[in-house]
Amino acid sequence: MINTDLSKGYVDIPFEGSDVREEIERLKKEQNAVVLAHYYAEPEIQDIADFVGDSLALAQWAKKTSADVIVMCGVHFMGETAKILCPDRKVLVPDLNAGCSLADSCDAEAFGEFVRNNPDHTVISYVNTTAAVKFHTDIVVTSSNARQIVESLPAEEKIIFGPDRNLGNYINSITGRSMRLWDGACHVHEKFSLEKILDLKKQYPDAKVLAHPECKKVILTVADHIGSTAALLNFAVNDDASTFIVATESGILHEMQKKCPQKTFIPAPPMDSTCACNECNFMRLNTLQKLYNTLRYELPEIQVDENIRERAKLPIERMLEISAELGL
Ligand code: 13P
Ligand code: SF4
């Protein structure tokens, strides 16, 4: 009997065939499964996925797919978002340990209290949150649409924004709003070194700096372009510069390099150069072996409590509706 025990958070059965990629393709067809991957996933995962995108695109794809099985090669909240939108589908993740330090920086109970203490505020939550935090939310945003969604609200509207303080401060600075912020952050984006980026700028004076808005303000100050992973990729494709220093998780360099083989992309270094801190250890838990087992055994599956799902769906749907109206 095969042991599909999930005590490790994933099915730990060694692959014994000869070609794991071929087997993944076969299983995708057999199960009518779609594999979605975030730009931060390992290059080999991105290459085998049916769609690669940013958080907004992954939610949009999950909502429109006709596949019976959705495999989310991202992190847990991305799988949860897909399940919230598609309760009748099987949503699988290769490894349940793929969490998110930013989502973890926002405890749902404490966030609920923050909301209750600010009763006259509209609650905006970044998609990098658990379903339980989305339960307390009026509108979800991603870094692709946060600015436009905030600007779509009346100027006098009082807003709570959580959990990313860097994204929240950035949105406040470009919209002139004064949203009340939750004090959370991502461990990858907080670690980029300004000194090392400036050293690289000396070495490559024509290079442009691309930064994700989850980075600290000092990094955003030296950025030529700030945006979501998809926006940074788009900028790199369309801009005339030939060299870019990229201050976000380094997985995005794979798609940048694929789309622009003639350009040079340099990952922004973290403060501690002895670690690979510009890699999200959670995203990197998704491997071909685990993806194979996920498809083969249809495990681990994302489950969301139905009461939470019904309520958490509202702010996600609202985000998707506003994004569609805005053409995002
Ligand atoms: P994007 O929405 O830009 O894909 O960002 C997701 C994320 O987790 C950033 O750390
Ligand atoms: Fe979460 Fe940061 Fe990883 Fe993005 S890079 S998934 S915010 S821990």
Side-chain angles (χ1 to χ4, degrees), residues 90-244:
K90 197 167 262 193
V91 177
L92 307 170
V93 290
D95 187 337
L96 285 170
N97 300 302
C100 167
S101 58
L102 179 51
D104 287 348
S105 70
C106 190
D107 171 70
E109 227 170 278
F111 191 73
E113 202 179 319
F114 183 50
V115 171
R116 281 191 295 281
N117 290 339
N118 293 280
D120 50 350
H121 286 61
T122 295
V123 183
I124 298 188
S125 293
Y126 195 32
V127 72
N128 296 42
T129 44
T130 59
V133 166
K134 291 184 177 87
F135 179 93
H136 297 290
T137 298
D138 297 313
I139 317 177
V140 165
V141 298
T142 74
S143 44
S144 270
N145 56 23
R147 176 193 193 143
Q148 292 90 333
I149 288 182
V150 168
E151 283 177 337
S152 75
L153 301 175
E156 63 284 1
E157 192 141 337
K158 294 180 182 169
I159 303 171
I160 286 175
F161 183 92
D164 191 71
R165 58 176 175 250
N166 296 319
L167 176 64
N169 275 318
Y170 171 65
I171 299 294
N172 273 343
S173 74
I174 57 173
T175 60
R177 306 283 173 124
S178 36
M179 304 186 295
R180 296 202 67 176
L181 308 182
W182 184 263
D183 193 18
C186 155
H187 73 302
V188 176
H189 287 86
E190 285 242 304
K191 291 221 177 94
F192 292 113
S193 158
L194 177 64
E195 289 69 28
K196 289 181 186 168
I197 291 174
L198 294 177
D199 283 350
L200 280 170
K201 282 284 286 177
K202 275 187 208 140
Q203 227 178 309
Y204 304 93
D206 297 330
K208 288 200 173 157
V209 177
L210 308 180
H212 196 281
E214 287 173 27
C215 294
K216 284 182 173 179
K217 191 175 171 188
V218 282
I219 304 294
L220 300 183
T221 310
V222 296
D224 295 285
H225 191 71
I226 300 167
S228 69
T229 48
L232 299 182
L233 176 63
N234 210 22
F235 185 87
V237 169
N238 293 309
D239 193 74
D240 288 343
S242 60
T243 307
F244 298 88

Side-chain angles (χ1 to χ4, degrees), residues 38 40 74-75 77-78 99-103 126 128 164 185-189 212 214 248-249 278-283:
H38 190 266
Y40 296 163
V75 291
F77 76 80
M78 294 173 178
C100 167
S101 58
L102 179 51
Y126 195 32
N128 296 42
D164 191 71
C186 155
H187 73 302
V188 176
H189 287 86
H212 196 281
E214 287 173 27
T248 191
E249 211 273 1
N278 53 10
E279 286 188 5
C280 175
N281 49 315
F282 300 114
M283 286 279 182

